[in-house]
Amino acid sequence: MMSNLSVIFLSGLNETRIHRPTLFVLSLLCYCLILLVNVSLVVIVVLDKSLHEPMYILLCAFCINGLYGTTGFYPKFLWDLLSPVHIISYSGCLIQAQVMYSFACSDLSILSVMAYDRYLAICRPLEYHSLMSKQNVVLLAWFSWFTPFCIMGLNVVLTSRLRLCSPHMSRLFCVNWSIVRLACPLEDTTANNIVANLIIIIYVCHGLFIVWSYMYLVKTCINSLENRAKFMQTCVPHLVSLITFLVTILFDLMNMRLASKNLDQIFQDFIAIEFLVIPPIMNPLIYGFKLTKIQRKFNKLLTFRWK
């Protein structure tokens, strides 16, 4: 690492001194809820062999990725809420940036595979089982996490070579673009900008593929009662997850790149953590309520606990 700084000061919490005890309790409850719903869904899918189908394996991967991303944020954030000084080591900052970015891109990759799975199931049912075998689905889920991890790793490595002139970051947590903005004026950030723009193009293409898939599915299902029922049962949760994810991520990206310094810091903080609060809680609940098999298993689990 080329940077001459050993620590980064996170100033995102500077305007919340009075409300920190309340924020700590709410954040702890939120993290516990995320752990509960995601771990429950993963355990249900892993233990029940009848759920070892492509859609549920991908859902399991989705929840594991949610746990990975939120674990990169909440423990440090909770510690900061109890601490008078909010600092993170430079190496820790780079690791957190890697986790945040790879988590977000993996979510989009998994949603792309889910869209492809639904397209095959509804539009090409005769080829579905050969193309979406258990082994193929596990490989797709693995690549949906590993590929973004490697791509983001390259981005973070490029950032680590920059010399930073300021240790102060006006955020609650570290992200790559915010670290790049701390670079000294004479530092060459051309490679960072090129790689960042390529990554944006790659994942915009993911988003366009998902949109095309669902438009094609709607066109296919509209004239068939059976396909329409399939779409409502299995595709609607994916669409809700996608819209929730895209809205929260776009707000944060716009905030990082375009936001005025005059915007209230608390409002900026809220925008920044939306994708770490809403999707990890909403997704398991949406699938739990919408997918019949998952709903039955949840009901059985709750009934067993209350007996």
Side-chain angles (χ1 to χ4, degrees):
M1 288 181 292
M2 190 175 173
S3 174
N4 55 321
L5 301 177
S6 58
V7 296
I8 300 290
F9 292 85
L10 302 171
S11 59
L13 281 171
N14 286 358
E15 295 183 20
T16 60
R17 287 184 178 88
I18 301 172
H19 307 293
R20 278 182 202 166
T22 306
L23 281 172
F24 177 82
V25 173
L26 291 173
S27 299
L28 182 61
L29 287 172
C30 184
Y31 187 43
C32 289
L33 181 59
I34 287 168
L35 290 173
L36 175 65
V37 293
N38 283 277
V39 170
S40 297
L41 205 148
V42 169
V43 169
I44 285 170
V45 172
V46 169
L47 295 182
D48 194 324
K49 290 184 179 180
S50 69
L51 296 177
H52 292 183
E53 299 173 11
M55 183 168 56
Y56 300 107
I57 293 170
L58 292 171
L59 175 56
C60 189
F62 206 35
C63 291
I64 291 170
N65 191 55
L67 291 169
Y68 160 71
T70 51
T71 301
F73 167 71
Y74 279 97
K76 175 70 174 73
F77 179 61
L78 290 166
W79 176 261
D80 283 345
L81 286 169
L82 298 176
S83 175
V85 181
H86 311 125
I87 61 170
I88 185 170
S89 68
Y90 181 60
S91 56
C93 193
L94 290 172
I95 290 168
Q96 190 174 53
Q98 166 73 6
V99 172
M100 293 296 99
Y101 274 50
S102 57
F103 152 68
C105 292
S106 293
D107 255 12
L108 198 53
S109 294
I110 294 167
L111 283 166
S112 300
V113 178
M114 284 179 162
Y116 179 63
D117 172 73
R118 292 300 85 204
Y119 161 74
L120 289 177
I122 294 173
C123 302
R124 297 166 66 181
L126 297 178
E127 300 171 61
Y128 179 74
H129 291 291
S130 59
L131 291 171
M132 296 298 285
S133 64
K134 192 186 295 185
Q135 189 176 19
N136 287 348
V137 172
V138 171
L139 278 173
L140 285 169
W142 166 250
F143 280 115
S144 293
W145 179 82
F146 185 70
T147 305
F149 187 85
C150 292
I151 293 172
M152 293 305 155
L154 172 63
N155 210 15
V156 170
V157 167
L158 287 172
T159 299
S160 69
R161 69 184 175 80
L162 298 174
R163 192 173 183 82
L164 307 186
C165 281
S166 171
H168 298 282
M169 186 183 294
S170 59
R171 286 186 68 92
L172 297 172
F173 57 92
C174 294
V175 290
N176 193 64
W177 182 250
S178 295
I179 301 171
V180 172
R181 288 172 70 179
L182 301 179
C184 297
L186 295 178
E187 286 293 303
D188 184 8
T189 60
T190 306
N192 297 76
N193 290 327
I194 290 170
V195 171
N197 288 328
L198 284 173
I199 290 168
I200 289 170
I201 290 167
I202 289 168
Y203 287 98
V204 165
C205 289
H206 278 57
L208 291 174
F209 169 75
I210 296 169
V211 170
W212 174 84
S213 298
Y214 285 115
M215 285 177 68
Y216 192 86
L217 282 168
V218 168
K219 185 181 173 183
T220 304
C221 295
I222 201 162
N223 295 321
S224 167
L225 193 61
E226 184 185 347
N227 285 340
R228 211 179 307 160
K230 276 187 186 179
F231 181 87
M232 292 302 294
Q233 180 67 29
T234 61
C235 296
V236 169
H238 299 168
L239 278 172
V240 174
S241 297
L242 175 67
I243 292 164
T244 305
F245 171 80
L246 288 179
V247 168
T248 54
I249 286 292
L250 283 172
F251 267 116
D252 190 37
L253 284 173
M254 288 169 66
N255 180 50
M256 275 196 292
R257 302 248 175 176
L258 305 173
S260 166
K261 290 182 180 178
N262 297 324
L263 278 177
D264 184 69
Q265 183 63 52
I266 294 173
F267 178 69
Q268 290 189 51
D269 291 343
F270 174 73
I271 291 171
I273 64 170
E274 273 184 307
F275 80 107
L276 291 159
V277 177
I278 300 169
I281 292 174
M282 287 286 289
N283 292 335
L285 294 177
I286 289 165
Y287 286 101
F289 284 116
K290 190 65 182 171
L291 299 180
T292 309
K293 284 187 178 181
I294 294 287
Q295 190 179 9
R296 285 173 186 164
K297 299 300 173 185
F298 263 128
N299 290 339
K300 280 185 181 178
L301 188 66
L302 289 171
T303 305
F304 178 76
R305 282 184 177 180
W306 282 104
K307 278 184 179 180

